[in-house]
């Protein structure tokens, strides 16, 4: 899991989702009440599997030479309250964070959004870093939506997945649709997709699309 989580940080860089050290990936260790997360303030080029830190589900450091990411409490809250989640990603990616700065959900106006998010990408509350406020806002917002991504108001994006890789994919796709819908709005209004069509697209993509063995 240290190797996986370390390698996935390079994907945040590759897809242009992060500046400096402001973004992190974590992964639950299967069968344990533990997860692996980025060390705080270490640049992406310097990350190694050994430098990743292991925390318990209260966010306490269990193993590692560095302090865990300053977003650890939010990741831990999600793992504590959503047992189906195996990976969490946080970024301040530009277009998604621009929607968060306006406190505006990204409307479901692209079939790719219906596929991936099953509707709008919702906005969670304004919350200060430190305690459980971000985590609580995330879990409360995720419970009312199919979307694996939440825009935390005035902040950035959190995504979840069954695996850390799935959470990274959601972060990449969230930024992609945030950008496209932003561009679309520059020249006029966008056309909502009917809920029944969103349901059909979501069902097909989640259950039928792709190579069965790679799910
Ligand atoms: Zn942040």
């Amino acid at each position: 899991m240290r190797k996986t989580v370390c390698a996935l940080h390079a994907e945040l860089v590759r897809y242009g989702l992060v500046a400096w050290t402001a973004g992190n990936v974590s992964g639950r260790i299967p069968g344990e009440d533990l997860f692996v997360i980025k060390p705080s303030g270490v640049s992406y080029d310097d990350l190694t599997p050994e430098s990743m830190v292991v925390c318990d589900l209260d966010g306490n450091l269990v193993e590692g030479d560095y302090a865990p990411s300053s977003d650890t409490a939010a990741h831990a809250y999600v793992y504590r309250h959503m047992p189906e989640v195996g990976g969490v990603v946080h970024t301040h990616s530009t277009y998604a964070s621009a929607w968060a700065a306006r406190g505006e959900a990204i409307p479901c106006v692209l079939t790719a959004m219906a596929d991936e998010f099953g509707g709008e990408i919702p906005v969670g509350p304004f919350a200060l870093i430190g305690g459980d406020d971000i985590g609580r806002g995330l879990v409360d917002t995720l419970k009312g939506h199919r979307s694996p991504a939440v825009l935390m108001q005035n902040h950035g994006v959190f995504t979840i997945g069954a695996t850390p890789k799935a959470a990274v994919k959601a972060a990449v796709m969230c930024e992609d649709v945030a950008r496209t819908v932003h561009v679309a709005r520059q020249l006029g209004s966008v056309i909502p997709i009917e809920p029944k069509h969103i349901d059909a697209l979501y069902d097909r993509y989640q259950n039928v699309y792709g190579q069965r063995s790679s799910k």
Side-chain angles (χ1 to χ4, degrees):
M1 188 53 77
R2 286 168 176 275
K3 254 190 237 170
T4 301
V5 170
C6 178
L8 285 168
H9 282 89
E11 299 294 285
L12 302 186
V13 177
R14 185 153 78 101
Y15 286 98
L17 303 186
V18 289
W20 203 239
T21 65
N24 40 71
V25 179
S26 67
R28 190 196 292 269
I29 300 174
E32 306 279 344
D33 286 338
L34 298 169
F35 63 98
V36 172
I37 192 164
K38 180 181 177 294
S40 182
V42 177
S43 82
Y44 296 106
D45 285 347
D46 297 334
L47 294 178
T48 60
E50 298 71 37
S51 65
M52 296 293 123
V53 295
V54 179
C55 292
D56 66 20
L57 298 192
D58 292 317
N60 301 310
L61 178 69
V62 171
E63 192 179 294
D65 298 331
Y66 295 91
S69 161
S70 50
D71 294 303
T72 296
H75 290 246
Y77 191 96
V78 172
Y79 289 122
R80 276 205 309 282
H81 291 86
M82 303 182 81
E84 71 279 18
V85 170
V88 178
V89 172
H90 173 51
T91 82
H92 300 159
S93 64
T94 304
Y95 284 89
S97 297
W99 288 85
R102 292 194 305 274
E104 188 178 357
I106 306 174
C108 187
V109 294
L110 298 165
T111 57
M113 274 191 80
D115 289 347
E116 199 71 43
F117 301 97
E120 67 172 17
I121 298 178
V123 179
F126 176 81
L128 292 175
I129 196 165
D132 279 342
D133 289 357
I134 292 178
R136 193 177 302 114
L138 280 171
V139 170
D140 288 350
T141 309
L142 286 164
K143 281 187 173 157
H145 293 83
R146 287 190 291 212
S147 170
V150 175
L151 310 173
M152 288 301 281
Q153 187 187 305
N154 302 105
H155 185 174
V157 188
F158 281 83
T159 60
I160 56 168
T163 61
K165 186 179 177 183
V168 170
K169 182 192 178 193
V172 171
M173 301 308 273
C174 178
E175 179 64 4
D176 187 54
V177 299
R179 178 165 168 264
T180 304
V181 180
H182 172 92
V183 170
R185 284 257 294 255
Q186 305 311 296
L187 287 175
S189 53
V190 291
I191 305 166
I193 301 177
E194 281 184 50
K196 67 176 181 192
H197 292 145
I198 293 175
D199 288 347
L201 287 160
Y202 183 74
D203 180 64
R204 176 193 156 275
Y205 186 78
Q206 300 295 326
N207 298 311
V208 182
Y209 171 81
Q211 308 295 322
R212 300 302 300 170
S213 59
S214 68
K215 279 280 183 183

